[in-house]
C-alpha cells in the first residue's frame, strides 16, 4: 500500500521523517503521519522536483528530519498560447493509463486514470507466513485544477481516488483500501530577496480512507476500518537578503482533526466469525484534534561559494 522513500539511512516504512510539499503545500496522511508517492501522483502534472536531503526542521517541523521533497506542478502556458496534451500508456501487469492536460495562461485542468495489477511478486507471504491469494487489481484517478486570477496568487484544487489491494494478510480474506482525498489551497508570493519577499500559504485537506476485508468463502464483510481526517493551515514567511546573509522569518498555524477512526470486525483468521462483532477505535482518544503554532527564524550566511553557515 505504501511507497516508502528512504534517505540518509532512515529506513522508514511510513515516510514520516520526510516532508512532501506540492506547490508549497504539505501533503500528509494524518493517521500514519506520512505521505505516499507512487502511482497515485501522476508524473504528467509535474514541472520539477527539488530534494533537500538531511534535516530541514527549522522551517518545516520535526517530520523534516530526513529531508524534503518539493514538487512543482506544471507551469501555466504563455500569455499568447494555450495547449491541450493527451497521453496514453500501456504495459505489463495489465497496465493502462490515460491523462489529459488543458493549459492556458491563467487556468489549467489536469485529469488522469490508471488501472493495473499491483506489481508484487507472486511468491509473497502473509504476515502469518501463509500464501496470499488476494486479487491485485488497483486503480488511481486524479483531477487537478489550478488558476492564477491575479499576479502572484495561485489557487488550486487537487482531488484523487485510490483503490488498492491491501496485501500480505491471511489467505482467508480479500482486503483493499479505498481513499478519497481533496486539497484546496491558495498561495501568494510578492517581492524579491533583495527588497524583501513574502510567501503566504493556506490549505484545507479532507482525507477519507477505508480498509475493507472480505471473507473468502462466504464473501461477507470480515472487517471495516475508517481513517477519516481533516487538516488545515496557514503560514507566512518573509525573506530578505542582506549582503552575504539571507534571513527568513515566519509564523504558522496548523490544525489536525480525526473525524472517524472507528472499526468493526466480524471475522478473524484464527477464530472465524465473531458474535457479537468487535467494535472500537484506532485512537485511544477518538475525534482528537490539535492546533500547532510556531514562530521561526533562520539565517543562512554564505561565507564563501563553498561554505554556508
Amino acid at each position: 500500500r505504501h511507497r516508502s522513500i528512504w534517505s540518509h539511512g532512515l529506513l522508514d516504512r511510513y515516510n514520516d521523517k520526510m516532508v512532501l510539499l506540492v506547490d508549497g503545500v504539505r501533503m500528509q496522511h494524518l493517521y500514519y503521519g506520512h505521505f505516499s508517492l507512487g502511482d497515485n501522483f501522476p508524473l504528467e502534472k509535474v514541472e520539477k522536483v527539488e530534494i533537500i536531503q538531511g534535516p530541514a526542521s527549522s522551517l518545516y517541523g520535526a517530520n523534516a528530519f530526513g529531508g524534503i521533497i518539493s514538487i512543482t506542478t506544471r507551469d501555466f502556458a504563455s500569455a499568447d498560447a494555450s495547449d491541450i496534451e493527451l497521453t496514453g500508456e500501456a504495459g505489463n501487469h495489465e497496465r493502462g493509463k490515460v491523462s489529459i492536460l488543458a493549459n492556458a495562461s491563467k487556468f489549467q485542468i489536469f485529469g488522469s486514470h490508471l488501472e493495473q495489477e499491483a506489481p508484487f511478486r507472486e511468491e509473497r507471504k502473509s504476515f502469518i507466513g501463509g500464501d496470499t491469494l488476494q486479487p491485485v487489481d488497483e486503480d488511481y484517478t486524479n483531477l487537478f485544477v489550478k488558476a492564477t486570477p491575479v499576479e502572484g496568487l495561485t489557487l488550486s484544487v487537487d482531488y484523487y481516488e485510490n483503490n488498492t489491494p491491501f496485501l500480505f494478510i491471511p489467505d482467508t480474506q480479500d482486503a483493499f483500501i479505498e481513499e478519497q482525498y481533496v486539497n484546496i489551497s491558495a498561495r501568494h508570493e510578492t517581492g524579491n530577496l533583495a527588497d524583501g519577499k513574502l510567501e503566504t500559504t493556506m490549505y484545507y485537506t479532507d482525507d477519507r480512507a477505508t480498509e475493507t476485508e472480505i471473507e473468502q468463502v462466504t464473501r461477507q464483510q470480515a472487517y471495516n476500518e475508517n481513517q477519516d481526517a481533516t487538516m488545515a493551515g496557514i503560514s507566512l514567511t518573509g525573506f530578505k537578503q542582506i549582503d552575504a546573509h539571507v534571513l527568513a522569518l515566519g509564523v504558522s498555524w496548523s490544525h489536525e482533526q480525526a473525524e472517524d477512526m472507528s472499526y468493526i470486525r466480524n471475522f478473524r483468521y484464527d477464530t472465524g466469525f465473531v458474535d457479537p462483532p468487535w467494535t472500537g477505535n484506532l485512537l485511544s482518544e477518538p475525534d482528537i484534534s490539535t492546533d500547532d503554532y510556531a514562530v521561526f527564524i533562520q539565517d543562512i550566511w554564505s561565507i564563501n561559494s563553498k561554505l554556508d553557515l
Side-chain angles (χ1 to χ4, degrees), residues 159-269:
Y159 173 81
Y160 66 75
E161 292 184 1
N162 299 333
N163 190 328
T164 58
F166 192 22
L167 302 179
F168 310 109
I169 69 167
D171 58 8
T172 52
Q173 295 121 269
D174 292 341
F176 52 92
I177 306 291
E178 293 179 298
E179 184 175 14
Q180 296 84 38
Y181 181 100
V182 61
N183 180 275
I184 303 170
S185 66
R187 181 175 175 85
H188 186 260
E189 296 185 12
T190 183
N192 55 67
L193 282 178
D195 300 324
K197 180 180 180 181
L198 178 64
E199 295 182 357
T200 305
T201 301
M202 296 177 286
Y203 69 92
Y204 172 81
T205 299
D206 186 270
D207 188 13
R208 308 282 160 171
T210 303
E211 175 188 332
T212 302
E213 297 175 11
I214 304 296
E215 198 272 328
Q216 290 273 25
V217 177
T218 65
R219 308 307 298 169
Q220 296 183 36
Q221 180 176 282
Y223 180 72
N224 189 80
E225 173 184 295
N226 297 299
Q227 300 169 7
D228 299 344
T230 57
M231 292 162 279
I234 182 171
S235 66
L236 291 86
T237 308
F239 300 88
K240 175 71 173 176
Q241 184 168 7
I242 304 174
D243 297 326
H245 296 264
V246 176
L247 299 174
L249 173 65
V251 295
S252 69
W253 162 78
S254 64
H255 173 80
E256 298 176 347
Q257 171 76 49
E259 300 287 346
D260 183 8
M261 300 282 181
S262 62
Y263 69 82
I264 178 171
R265 178 171 294 283
N266 302 295
F267 175 89
R268 181 178 164 85
Y269 71 95

Side-chain angles (χ1 to χ4, degrees), residues 3 37-46 74 85-101 110-117 138-143 162:
R3 271 73 172 180
L37 195 56
D39 286 315
N40 62 308
F41 199 97
L43 285 175
E44 291 86 353
K45 73 175 185 179
V46 174
R74 294 281 293 273
E85 298 180 14
L86 178 66
T87 65
E89 180 182 328
N92 63 340
H93 299 290
E94 300 184 13
R95 179 180 174 94
K97 180 179 180 180
V98 62
S99 66
I100 184 170
L101 170 68
F110 171 86
S112 71
H113 181 73
L114 165 65
E115 293 185 4
Q116 67 179 4
E117 287 194 346
E138 60 183 5
D139 58 77
Y140 304 89
T141 301
N142 188 281
L143 178 64
N162 299 333

Side-chain angles (χ1 to χ4, degrees), residues 78-153:
S78 59
D80 57 351
S82 59
D83 61 87
I84 296 178
E85 298 180 14
L86 178 66
T87 65
E89 180 182 328
N92 63 340
H93 299 290
E94 300 184 13
R95 179 180 174 94
K97 180 179 180 180
V98 62
S99 66
I100 184 170
L101 170 68
N103 200 7
S105 60
K106 292 183 177 296
F107 180 83
Q108 69 174 232
I109 182 169
F110 171 86
S112 71
H113 181 73
L114 165 65
E115 293 185 4
Q116 67 179 4
E117 287 194 346
F120 291 100
R121 63 188 188 276
E122 293 182 358
E123 70 275 13
R124 62 192 182 275
K125 300 293 184 181
S126 77
F127 70 84
I128 60 170
D131 294 334
T132 58
L133 303 175
Q134 293 82 16
V136 294
D137 53 299
E138 60 183 5
D139 58 77
Y140 304 89
T141 301
N142 188 281
L143 178 64
F144 180 67
V145 180
K146 185 167 69 170
T148 176
V150 297
E151 184 178 0
L153 175 63

